Structures are given as structure tokens and as C-alpha cells.
Amino acid sequence: MAPSHVVKCCQRGLSWIPVIFINLVVCWSYYAYVVELCIFIYLLVFHVFFFMFIWSYWKTIISKPASPSKEFCLPKVDKELYEKEENPEAQQEILKRVARNLPIYTRTGSGAIRYCDCCQLIKPDRCHHCSTCDRCVLKMDHHCPWVNNCVGFSNYKFFVLFLVYSMLYCVYIAATVLQYFIKFWTNHLPDTHAKFHVLFLFFVAAMFFISILSLFSYHLWLVGKNRTTIEAFRAPVFRNGPDKNGFTLGFRKNVTQVFGDQKKYWCLPIYSSLGDGYTFPTRLVNADSEQGNVEHQVIKCTVDGQTNPRPLSESQNHLLGNDMHSEEQKESSPTNIEVCQPVSITIVNES
């Protein structure tokens, strides 16, 4: 027991090495640019990019990954039955019975209920277990060693902004140092120790900019498609089968889901994402005949230290937009009262 605890402590300590490395590089770049070069006309913009980069970077690091609440855990009686049962089919029947009261629409590749044996809970849609963090993470994208944290529902916006501002920080340094870099190679730069800072500043900034640009472009594509990194490699499975575009609502609504509906907060690492992390509007389903009545359930989601209970259907209704509400108004209008027939609502696929 003790050796395994020591190993875990060592792993946790080693996991901070990439974060320490990034912070050391940033501190050196600040010293080299501000102290050694000291180009006054460039310092104002430099400090803006530097501040936003540090802010978004550390928001990504310190934001605790959101995990499923106790509502997704099996009740005590069902948990005992599940653990005693050895037949996988019988275990699935237990999970299906519990899942009828939960807003779950995705399945495993074989069509089974997604259950985490480590956390002992039914996984919400887009939730996955992180072996590094040893927990289930809502809308998990990936585990990033450079921030020593899981990137998911609670901090995905911060992660994207971290990529944006780190890219701007690097390209700004490279662009403003370029003229001195050219003077260095043409021997027109004074022979001081500052010239070595100029040399390494340009190379490091250009190298990081190229690598971050490719990563940012990929995540910008993911945001536009409303996919996570996991879903890009393994499409989510619905009742009708796998569909990589199952959560796509159109580019504008996809971006709004991550950055929020108030554009004044888009560029700031302040939490403004829409939804609760448990339910997501899809273009495939709006109601599942196998699900129970989940409209009046309330699940608490804690993000940035704030616990806000909200109806499970709130994020869906908010993001589906006016199209869905206009259909509901037509159905409830006086002209439609005379005919009482079942009405089915279909969400049209957006290309």
C-alpha cells in the first residue's frame, strides 16, 4: 500500500515538469525582451499579450475538471445487484433501468449503456474517464501534460484562449525581434551579451508559434464542428449508430456553445460556456422513447467554484434556437386546438 502511494506522489510531482518548463521559458522570454532589448514602443502591446497569455494559461491549469454528480451513480440496491450479477446481459438490464431516468442518448460501440467501473457511475453523454486524473470528466477533450490537467467542459474555452494568446505572444516577439535578428547575422548588432538573447528569442518564438498554430487550427476546426478530440477519433454512438456529426448544430451555434452568447466575454478567460455539461442538444434526437421523464430533474454542475442547479433541458432549449420554439408556438396556437393528433418534431440536418 505504501509503495503504491509513493509511486503516485512521484507521478504527481513529475507531471508538473512540463508546466515548470513552460513557465521558465516564459519568464526568460519576458526578461530577454523587457530587460535586455527594452524596446519601449513595443512594450505596451507586449504586456497585453503577456498578461492575457498568463491569465488564460493558469485558468486552464487551476480549473478543476467537472465530474458527474451523484445522480449518475447507481442507487445502493441496484449497485449491490450489479456487483453480485455475473451475467453481462443482466448487468445491462440493471443499467438500462437506472438510465431510463437520466438524460443519456449515447451508447458504447455495441449499443450498451456506458458505465465506468472505476468511478462506479453511468457516464453522461460525451463524458469519459481520464486514467491520469483518475476521474470521469464531463465533455472530456484530452489530458494535456503542458497544463497538467484534463481539458473538458469546465476549461475548454480557457484552453482555446490559451492557444490563441500564446500564438499571438510568440508571433509578436518574432515579428518585433526579426530586424535585430537580421542585424545579428549581418554583424550590425553591437557585440554584447544581449545579441544571444535576440538569437534565441527569435528561434524559440518562431518554433513555438509554428507548433501552436497547427494545434490551434485543429481545435478551431473542432469547435466549428462541435466535436472533442476523442469524438474526432471515435464517433459518438447513438441509438441509430455512430455519427461523428451528432452534436453539430451549425457553425454559429457550435461556437456559441463553447464561448457563450455574450460576445463581450469571448476574448476573456472568464467562464461563459453554455449548457450544464450533462446534456447537449443534438441534430439526431430531441426525445428518446426509451428514456423516462427527465424534464423536471435538476442536476448541480460546479464550474469555477459556483454551483448552479438548472433543469436538464435548459441547455438544449437555449441552443436549439428560435426554430424549435416557433414550432411549439404553432402547435399551441388557437387554429390547432381543434385537431388533437400526435405531433413529431424533426431536427433538420445542417451541412
Side-chain angles (χ1 to χ4, degrees):
M1 210 52 196
S4 111
H5 179 70
V6 172
V7 170
K8 286 184 178 179
C9 291
C10 292
Q11 289 176 342
R12 290 174 184 172
L14 292 174
S15 64
W16 282 99
I17 292 179
V19 177
I20 296 173
F21 172 75
I22 291 295
N23 281 275
L24 288 176
V25 172
V26 173
C27 289
W28 165 77
S29 68
Y30 184 87
Y31 167 80
Y33 196 94
V34 176
V35 178
E36 293 294 340
L37 289 179
C38 194
I39 313 170
F40 181 77
I41 59 175
Y42 296 147
L43 290 183
L44 179 61
V45 179
F46 171 83
H47 278 93
V48 171
F49 288 149
F50 177 80
F51 175 75
M52 296 304 296
F53 164 61
I54 294 296
W55 186 10
S56 57
Y57 180 55
W58 277 98
K59 281 289 286 186
T60 309
I61 294 175
I62 65 176
S63 296
K64 187 178 180 180
S67 298
S69 60
K70 62 181 180 179
E71 283 81 358
F72 289 86
C73 297
L74 294 180
K76 185 177 180 180
V77 176
D78 293 312
K79 182 180 178 181
E80 293 176 353
L81 291 175
Y82 181 86
E83 292 175 348
K84 292 179 181 178
E85 187 60 60
E86 296 181 357
N87 186 356
E89 294 182 359
Q91 288 181 330
Q92 273 300 306
E93 290 301 321
I94 297 173
L95 295 179
K96 286 181 180 179
R97 185 172 66 250
V98 177
R100 283 180 62 85
N101 298 320
L102 296 173
I104 297 173
Y105 299 105
T106 56
R107 304 286 190 266
T108 64
S110 60
I113 299 296
R114 300 169 65 243
Y115 182 76
C116 180
D117 291 312
C118 297
C119 300
Q120 296 185 332
L121 53 81
I122 296 176
K123 296 178 185 177
D125 293 342
R126 315 184 84 175
C127 174
H128 298 274
H129 184 85
C130 176
S131 58
T132 306
C133 295
D134 194 25
R135 66 170 66 190
C136 283
V137 179
L138 296 179
K139 196 187 177 184
M140 179 179 173
D141 188 88
H142 69 288
H143 184 90
C144 180
W146 299 109
V147 299
N148 191 29
N149 199 2
C150 253
V151 177
F153 175 75
S154 61
N155 62 353
Y156 187 65
K157 175 192 173 184
F158 306 149
F159 177 76
V160 175
L161 289 179
F162 153 61
L163 296 179
V164 171
Y165 289 118
S166 59
M167 187 175 60
L168 292 176
Y169 180 73
C170 290
V171 73
Y172 183 79
I173 290 178
T176 53
V177 172
L178 178 60
Q179 56 178 319
Y180 301 97
F181 179 75
I182 296 175
K183 289 181 179 180
F184 171 83
W185 286 108
T186 55
N187 295 322
H188 289 88
L189 199 67
D191 190 14
T192 62
H193 66 282
K195 67 179 184 179
F196 295 103
H197 288 287
V198 171
L199 176 65
F200 286 108
L201 259 181
F202 181 80
F203 274 122
V204 172
M207 179 186 65
F208 274 93
F209 170 72
I210 294 173
S211 60
I212 295 172
L213 178 61
S214 59
L215 185 61
F216 169 71
S217 301
Y218 177 66
H219 279 278
L220 189 63
W221 177 78
L222 290 178
V223 171
K225 294 291 185 179
N226 203 341
R227 298 178 197 167
T228 63
T229 300
I230 296 176
E231 292 166 353
F233 287 94
R234 185 172 65 249
V237 180
F238 297 87
R239 288 184 59 203
N240 298 328
D243 190 335
K244 60 182 180 180
N245 295 318
F247 294 105
T248 298
L249 304 173
F251 181 79
R252 181 179 60 84
K253 292 181 180 179
N254 293 342
V255 173
T256 301
Q257 194 174 90
V258 175
F259 291 93
D261 51 7
Q262 300 187 52
K263 294 183 178 180
K264 61 182 179 181
Y265 295 123
W266 282 16
C267 296
L268 299 176
I270 298 174
Y271 182 80
S272 60
S273 302
L274 299 182
D276 51 22
Y278 298 96
T279 59
F280 300 90
T282 73
R283 66 187 189 94
L284 297 176
V285 293
N286 191 45
D288 193 331
S289 60
E290 290 187 358
Q291 297 300 106
N293 181 18
V294 297
E295 292 297 326
H296 300 292
Q297 292 189 34
V298 172
I299 288 181
K300 295 180 180 179
C301 181
T302 302
V303 178
D304 274 5
Q306 299 178 354
T307 303
N308 298 317
R310 65 181 74 186
L312 293 175
S313 59
E314 180 180 317
S315 62
Q316 292 187 350
N317 294 337
H318 185 62
L319 279 170
L320 286 176
N322 297 327
D323 297 337
M324 189 62 120
H325 295 302
S326 62
E327 291 291 335
E328 293 176 354
Q329 291 174 358
K330 291 179 181 178
E331 292 171 14
S332 60
S333 61
T335 56
N336 294 333
I337 295 179
E338 297 178 359
V339 181
C340 297
Q341 296 179 352
V343 178
S344 61
I345 300 176
T346 304
I347 300 177
V348 180
N349 298 352
E350 295 191 25
S351 58

